[in-house]
Amino acid sequence: MIGRLNHVAIAVPDLAAATALYRDRLGARVSEPAPQPEHGVTTVFVELPNTKIELLEPLGADSPLARFLERNPDGGIHHLCYEVDDIAAASKQLEAAGTRILGSGQPRPGAHGKPVLFLHPKDFLGTLIELEQA
Ligand SMILES: CC[C@H](C(=O)O)C(=O)SCCNC(=O)CCNC(=O)[C@H](O)C(C)(C)COP(=O)(O)OP(=O)(O)OC[C@H]1O[C@@H](n2cnc3c(N)ncnc32)[C@H](O)[C@@H]1OP(=O)(O)O
Ligand SMILES: [Co+2]
């Protein structure tokens, strides 16, 4: 089912400072910030040869990052995103196996405009998993 590691996401309290750290201290190529109001985040992608780092800052009053950053005020690794060939089939298979699909349970467009969904961290070794349609 899962394929490439599409990105590793880091939630941060200050996106501009985090972007500057990766660009200036680590010499990384970084994207412009992209507000994603329907997801309650603003994203910056750090381009790596073999995957991406997604820097995430809360956007709006009820961002899903809010409580995470209360627990981790300096920021922290937030989720892993794996690519799948068929997100609808993957969702059905996972639900049948008892995995909790977060939100409405239906895939919706993510940062790359492709359908994404999220699996409850308590069902996957304490790790929030995002699946993105390849
Ligand atoms: C633009 C889209 C972009 C993309 O790449 O396409 C994105 O990635 S958007 C990313 C932001 N959106 C989401 O994360 C959506 C899915 N997330 C959620 O629905 C929530 O974050 C949720 C339900 C996973 C957690 O919400 P919250 O922290 O408010 O809930 P709790 O405080 O009740 O936590 C429950 C339980 O889970 C543990 N937890 C929470 N977040 C994480 C995490 N990121 N990794 C690991 N564990 C997590 C939390 O500690 C609680 O555990 P407990 O033992 O009960 O204390
Ligand atoms: Co993501």
Side-chain angles (χ1 to χ4, degrees):
M1 178 191 292
I2 58 172
R4 281 183 67 245
L5 175 67
N6 183 279
H7 61 269
V8 176
I10 301 174
V12 299
D14 180 338
L15 188 58
T19 304
L21 192 63
Y22 267 77
R23 184 189 59 231
D24 305 337
R25 193 84 55 89
L26 295 178
R29 272 185 34 229
V30 300
S31 75
E32 288 301 310
Q36 307 276 351
E38 66 286 355
H39 288 274
V41 299
T42 301
T43 63
V44 163
F45 277 95
V46 178
E47 297 296 333
L48 302 175
N50 60 337
T51 189
K52 295 185 280 292
I53 301 298
E54 180 182 53
L55 301 175
L56 292 170
E57 181 184 65
L59 176 64
D62 51 357
S63 170
L65 303 183
R67 291 224 288 245
F68 181 90
L69 285 171
E70 281 168 20
R71 292 190 294 269
N72 306 278
D74 295 330
I77 292 179
H78 185 259
H79 64 269
L80 303 177
C81 180
Y82 302 115
E83 292 178 2
V84 291
D85 288 334
D86 182 340
I87 199 163
S91 174
K92 210 175 282 169
Q93 187 177 330
L94 287 159
E95 268 194 323
T99 295
R100 288 168 285 181
I101 314 279
L102 292 166
S104 70
Q106 294 306 312
R108 57 194 180 123
H112 303 119
K114 296 185 178 175
V116 301
L117 55 78
F118 289 87
L119 310 179
H120 202 292
K122 307 305 271 184
D123 296 339
F124 275 94
L125 311 171
T127 306
L128 179 61
I129 302 288
E130 177 181 8
L131 299 181
E132 178 176 313
Q133 174 77 39

